[in-house]
Amino acid sequence: MSVFSKIIAGEIPGRFVWADDVCVAFATLEPHARGHVLVVPRAEIDRFTDLDDDTAAHLFIVAKRIGKAQIAAFGVERAMLVIAGLGVPHTHLHVIPADSENVTSFASARKDVPGTELDAAMEELRAALRQQGWGSFVPAQLSSLA
């Protein structure tokens, strides 16, 4: 079971901003920018090239919605989308608020970000998603999919 499957199952804490039947989105612990999240399918599929077309399309749509909310919440020029995935054998899309492509370098990831800082950024993003009409997909609590 991947670390992401354990987060989805509630075995490891997560900071959730999105949840539907196909995927979830939560804060990464090593953000490249304030508000950086991962969009992860509930099904544990290692490579994005192995996703069925409907799941792949759905992940991209959710990433787009989150990106729009990041632009609104964090006042950035755009949201960047990166699919990397060698570190965890579970497909995931990085959605990163950005004013520069420099944030897409994995060397730029911040280490040891305080939980309170991650919580505050995710609450801002959750509020922006609600304001944009996606509140039914925002979990009731930051720390739970329930």
Side-chain angles (χ1 to χ4, degrees):
M1 179 180 278
S2 78
V3 66
F4 294 159
S5 290
K6 290 177 181 180
I7 292 169
I8 292 166
E11 295 174 23
I12 296 173
R15 292 172 170 88
F16 296 96
V17 300
W18 185 278
D20 63 33
D21 292 341
V22 176
C23 69
V24 300
F26 50 82
T28 178
L29 295 180
E30 295 184 352
H32 294 232
R34 188 164 184 264
H36 177 172
V37 300
L38 305 175
V39 177
V40 182
R42 287 180 181 267
E44 189 173 301
I45 299 169
D46 184 3
R47 298 177 295 198
F48 85 93
T49 53
D50 292 334
L51 294 169
D52 65 78
D53 290 348
D54 289 340
T55 300
H58 184 78
L59 294 176
F60 189 85
I61 289 166
V62 170
K64 176 183 164 191
R65 292 173 180 169
I66 289 172
K68 284 185 174 186
Q70 288 171 328
I71 291 167
F74 304 113
V76 292
E77 183 178 336
R78 62 185 63 223
M80 307 292 284
L81 180 63
V82 176
I83 303 173
L86 291 176
V88 177
H90 192 147
T91 297
H92 54 288
L93 284 62
H94 293 259
V95 188
I96 309 168
D99 287 319
S100 163
E101 287 187 9
N102 292 339
V103 300
T104 61
S105 166
F106 282 89
S108 74
R110 295 177 53 210
K111 310 284 191 245
D112 301 320
V113 178
T116 54
E117 186 176 327
L118 290 171
D119 290 349
M122 293 304 106
E123 288 297 356
E124 288 180 60
L125 182 53
R126 289 159 51 87
L129 284 163
R130 287 185 194 104
Q131 287 177 334
Q132 293 179 358
W134 304 113
S136 62
F137 298 105
V138 176
Q141 296 180 18
L142 178 64
S143 61
S144 172
L145 290 175

